[in-house]
Amino acid sequence: MNAFPPRPPRGADADALLRAELAELLPPPPVPELTPERSLDLRHAVLRSALAAGDGGPAVRPRRRFPVGLLAVPVAACAVVAGVVVVAPGEGPAGPPGRVSAGQPGPSDAVRFLSGAALAAAAAPAPEVRPGEYVYVKSLVAYAGRDAAGGPAVLPPARAREVWLSADGSRPGLLREAGAADTPLGSPGPVYELDGPGAEPRKSTLGAEPPSVTRPTHAYVAALPTEPEALLRLVREQTRGAEGSGGGADQRAFTAIGTLLAETWAPPEVTAALYRAAALITGVTVLPSATDAAGREGVAVARTAHGEQTQWIFDRTTSAFLGERTVLVESTPAGRAGTVLGVSAVLVKGAASAPGEPPKA
């Protein structure tokens, strides 16, 4: 397109020559841009024309019948309007936000499941526990044992277990299991101190240890960080060298988070953060089916270390935490692969006024 209008031919009148000279001196008039609505109308018109033309022939020609999957190919090939490219369904350039190109690794099944469980947990009601009250947890538990002569481990029937934990850690709690005497929790142990050589031993008590991930109180759990990376870092720091927990830092963290889920009553945002922190641990997988101590079947998130697999069992409909299970994944003196070493089921969580009392409604 020429930038200036052509001059009139020779012999034109003086007015025509004057208008031509003025047109060369004056800037060209601005071309109004299309409104978004008009631009969209033009795009639709081009698409309709492309579809009507079919294979590129006149619109009045009888069109061929194309398979449904190929119908968009002429559109993709020719619909380029105002810098917008129409791409066939299912195709597209890789890289831009909101698109995933073929071959890019997506989140693992465990990450997806735990993310869903976190969303469900975040929408749950918040616990109502006052500082002077107790967190009450009722569950069913069973742990396999071996006789003195050795032999494979045997899992007994599940028994009821109730625990009362002081919400702020200021008072002793209580553990009650069927078939056993009540056990006080958190009571300072007695010690004897000597004021000097030859002095009479003086009875005293050990100072209570501060709350931590391995010795949680309700107040401590409620104040845990809700940023997953920070929470996992704290769990790893506080379980470093924990007695009786092997399998490396990842397995210690996975076990500790499972204990917090089962034995405490955390606020929704903390429970959600625990799930998201667990999703950051390597080696976590999903099992399609597992059963807790109450016989409830669900989906399990699991991690294996030293031939044992720790499983967290979730309700497959609500993603609520149901319980835990520990299973041998390889044959050992304790049993063949598939032997259940321990199983639990969380039944009730609530607030109680005193140890031994039932929870409030």
Side-chain angles (χ1 to χ4, degrees):
M1 189 176 197
N2 295 328
F4 301 101
R7 285 178 173 272
R10 292 181 179 273
D13 58 19
D15 291 342
L17 289 173
L18 181 60
R19 284 195 297 268
E21 291 177 359
L22 290 175
E24 292 179 1
L25 296 174
L26 295 174
V31 179
E33 296 184 358
L34 295 176
T35 64
E37 294 79 5
R38 180 57 178 160
S39 177
L40 184 60
D41 289 339
L42 288 177
R43 296 177 195 176
H44 288 173
V46 172
L47 291 177
R48 285 194 298 269
S49 299
L51 287 174
D55 59 352
V60 296
R61 282 183 56 186
R63 292 180 296 168
R64 301 176 187 174
R65 294 186 176 272
F66 294 97
V68 174
L70 301 179
L71 186 60
V73 173
V75 180
C78 32
V80 183
V81 183
V84 177
V85 181
V86 180
V87 186
E91 299 177 355
R99 297 192 183 187
V100 179
S101 61
Q104 284 187 339
S108 69
D109 291 341
V111 172
R112 282 193 293 267
F113 184 87
L114 288 169
S115 297
L119 290 174
E128 297 181 1
V129 187
R130 297 185 180 133
E133 294 182 330
Y134 292 78
V135 171
Y136 170 85
V137 180
K138 182 179 182 179
S139 57
L140 293 176
V141 297
Y143 303 106
R146 303 174 65 185
D147 56 30
V154 178
L155 188 72
R159 62 183 184 275
R161 180 179 185 272
E162 296 174 286
V163 63
W164 288 261
L165 298 173
S166 172
D168 57 7
S170 61
R171 304 175 185 179
L174 180 67
L175 170 64
R176 177 174 291 168
E177 292 192 17
D182 291 353
T183 303
L185 298 175
S187 299
V191 296
Y192 291 88
E193 297 181 358
L194 293 176
D195 295 328
E200 188 74 17
R202 178 168 51 84
K203 189 175 182 179
S204 181
T205 56
L206 287 172
E209 295 185 22
S212 64
V213 168
T214 57
R215 296 177 60 88
T217 64
H218 180 73
Y220 179 83
V221 172
L224 285 173
T226 55
E227 199 279 321
E229 288 83 1
L231 179 56
L232 181 58
R233 186 164 54 249
L234 175 66
V235 171
R236 281 177 169 157
E237 289 173 357
Q238 296 196 2
T239 56
R240 186 181 295 118
E243 183 179 354
S245 57
D250 284 340
Q251 186 62 20
R252 289 196 300 270
F254 189 79
T255 301
I257 292 174
T259 301
L260 290 173
L261 293 172
E263 294 289 304
T264 67
W265 195 17
E269 62 274 12
V270 173
T271 303
L274 288 170
Y275 291 144
R276 293 191 174 102
L280 300 174
I281 300 175
T282 59
V284 180
T285 59
V286 172
L287 302 179
S289 180
T291 306
D292 69 4
R296 299 175 297 190
E297 189 272 343
V299 182
V301 172
R303 193 177 191 281
T304 302
H306 298 304
E308 296 182 6
Q309 187 176 80
T310 303
Q311 304 172 359
W312 301 344
I313 306 170
F314 295 84
D315 185 285
R316 67 173 65 252
T317 301
T318 65
S319 297
F321 183 87
L322 299 180
E324 293 184 281
R325 191 169 67 169
T326 304
V327 181
L328 286 177
V329 294
E330 58 187 46
S331 297
T332 70
R336 295 182 297 176
T339 299
V340 178
L341 299 180
V343 64
S344 67
V346 179
L347 303 179
V348 178
K349 289 185 179 182
S353 299
E357 292 187 6
K360 298 181 295 184

